[in-house]
Amino acid sequence: MGRGRAKAKQTKVARDLKYRTHETDFGALANELHGDSGTKDEQVDPEVLEKWSDVIEPSRD
C-alpha cells in the first residue's frame, strides 16, 4: 500500500531510458573506465581542500 507513486516514477524513468535515443561518447566512457585522465589537469578546489584538510593526511616529504 502506498507504492503507487514510487512505482509510477520508476516506470517513467525506465521507459525514458529504454526509448530515448542517447548520444553516447564511447571514447570518453572508455577513458573513464580505464582510468585515463587524458589532458585534463585535476586540481583540488581550495575551498574543498580547506573543508577536508583535517581529514586528509598531510603529505610526508
Side-chain angles (χ1 to χ4, degrees), residues 5-45:
R5 187 175 290 180
K7 186 173 181 196
K9 174 77 173 177
Q10 290 174 347
T11 303
K12 178 183 176 188
V13 170
R15 282 189 183 135
D16 187 40
L17 290 172
K18 183 177 180 182
Y19 295 115
R20 188 174 44 154
T21 58
H22 299 281
E23 296 296 324
T24 305
D25 185 1
F26 291 108
L29 178 62
N31 288 340
E32 182 178 340
L33 292 175
H34 293 292
D36 298 338
S37 62
T39 59
K40 287 187 188 175
D41 291 331
E42 294 184 24
Q43 295 184 1
V44 179
D45 187 21

